[in-house]
Amino acid sequence: MSGVLGTYAYTNYFNVQGNYRQGAITCAMPAGSLFGALASSFIADRYSRRTAIQVAALIWIAGSIIQTASNGIGMLVAGRLVSGLGVGIESAVVPIYQAEIAPPEIRGRVVSLQQWAITWGILIQYFIQYGASFTGGGASNPNQGTAAFRIPWGVQMVPATILFAGMFFFPRSPRWLASKDRWEESIEVLAALHGGGDMNHPKVLAQYQEIEEALTGERVEGKPDWTLLTEPRMFRRVILGMSIQMWSQLCGMNVMMYYIVYVMEAANIGDPLLTSAIQYILNVVLTLPAILFLDKWGRRPSLLVGSFMMMVFLFIVGALQAIYGQPFHADSGPQSAISWILRDNRPVQLAVVVFTYLFVSTFSITWGPTSWTYPAEIFPSQIRAKAVSLATASNWGWNCALAFAVPPLLWNINWRIYMLFASFNGVAFIHMFLTAPETKGKTLEEMDVVFDSGRPAWRSVPKGSRLTALQKEIEEGNLKVAFHFGDISIELKPEATATNIETVKEAV
């Protein structure tokens, strides 16, 4: 959306005069995503994580068709609502799927790939919008044609089609299969993912054993999923997951994603579409360090350092705008959305742009990937999809509110908006310090130990994983794992490396 905001084609065709109207158009997609996230757990739990991802891709294609064919604001909003449903499902289910198939030592890296893919999608789509803005005489031509926005909206269908088809080549989640008592398929997937196809690999057997013990414990407890969410020990985690997603929106990155063109218009330096593009490149490049090192430096440092640095950068931008800016008014065109501008002070204008880029870079390295990784890994299998759907719904609920509120806020309180979001980062820093323990290196089944030990969040969690200990016991022959095939149990031994799933089926 941000790439078309600076074109006459969009503002004239949809008659987008007034900040509330643009806010309503923008927030339609996160509004749909809110409902999609809430519905995601029903599809993911019943039909599998993989099927939910494919259903969401089809919904996104339908929404893209409606947007591309839009003949007015009503149809555009409807298309964005439908697309939002797909986005909400994807954003809730994809991190769960990634967390459930990844080994604990690289789980942060694997889930962070989702955020990296998001940044690539934003960058590619922005440049498609930027390229399309040159059609019909360019973005500054009052008579520019509708191809400037129809081309990028139509191209959205391509990656969704690839995702739908590509998921047929990916396995179902082994933890979802186990929850449906499809144990033979579960261990086959575990072997393919973590044992080179050998289901007697110690690591595969250790994971199988841990998943079985966790599911058995949950079933013995026998409480309905939604009831379990409200238990004090679990409710604390639900609130934490929802809070992390809330702070990821209230940190101010929402402004930079949706309305970066407005920010650059206010800075009044160079081509706002081009200067905005630089931040999308930074977003892609600087997500890489998180992918490589999140499992080394941990989730907690990312949240704390990120909040603090984003707070500092936003306070600086707000102060520069307050001291050197001045009121501004334009009756029409892209600049009609702003009421405060920097003039004739190039060093300050450059400083605002630089600190805006530093803010985006900090988010990309810290909160961007961590805000998706953390909620996806802290819940037990029985309620994981439902709890993550609530956390993701929190993200989209605040995203929707900000998408609607930011244009009038930029107009009415101008530079003060940076102070507001800086303050939110300060509160987030305190909140995360007090409530978010470290989870790196722990298996999904170990999160009860991390959160229910009574240890304060700021105290270090003991290093090592139970999975490693189980694997060692299996390798030494001190622990034997029974594989359940229907009503029959077969003991698996790590030394029987030639045995595979087909051999077991033949034996049965």
Side-chain angles (χ1 to χ4, degrees), residues 373-384:
T373 301
Y374 201 96
E377 65 187 4
I378 64 176
F379 301 106
S381 177
Q382 184 180 358
I383 63 167
R384 185 172 297 126

Side-chain angles (χ1 to χ4, degrees), residues 50 86 150 173 304 333 351 382 424 444 483 496:
R50 190 181 77 176
R150 295 198 194 278
S173 161
L304 295 177
Q382 184 180 358
F424 285 147
L444 299 179
F483 169 58

Side-chain angles (χ1 to χ4, degrees), residues 33-46:
S33 300
L34 169 62
F35 292 103
L38 290 173
S40 65
S41 64
F42 299 100
I43 305 172
D45 281 340
R46 184 165 185 174

Side-chain angles (χ1 to χ4, degrees), residues 340-361:
W340 193 265
I341 199 167
L342 290 167
R343 288 189 187 278
D344 305 322
N345 196 329
R346 191 165 181 80
V348 173
Q349 291 168 309
L350 285 171
V352 166
V353 173
V354 167
F355 281 109
T356 298
Y357 289 160
L358 287 172
F359 168 86
V360 170
S361 301

Side-chain angles (χ1 to χ4, degrees), residues 178-198:
S179 72
K180 301 299 180 183
D181 289 323
R182 293 161 64 172
W183 290 101
E184 63 275 15
E185 294 176 71
S186 176
I187 197 168
E188 187 174 24
V189 172
L190 286 172
L193 290 172
H194 309 302
D198 177 17

Side-chain angles (χ1 to χ4, degrees), residues 413-442:
I413 67 173
N414 37 73
W415 60 267
R416 297 173 187 84
I417 194 171
Y418 300 103
M419 302 304 190
L420 177 64
F421 285 111
S423 301
F424 285 147
N425 279 297
V427 177
F429 175 86
I430 297 170
H431 186 194
M432 293 300 101
F433 179 82
L434 295 174
T435 63
E438 184 56 71
T439 59
K440 72 170 182 177
K442 302 297 182 183

Side-chain angles (χ1 to χ4, degrees), residues 258-282:
Y258 284 139
Y259 301 115
I260 184 62
V261 172
Y262 292 170
V263 174
M264 293 305 173
E265 293 275 12
N268 196 27
I269 183 170
D271 180 353
L273 287 175
L274 187 58
T275 52
S276 299
I278 296 173
Q279 73 130 14
Y280 292 113
I281 296 172
L282 290 171

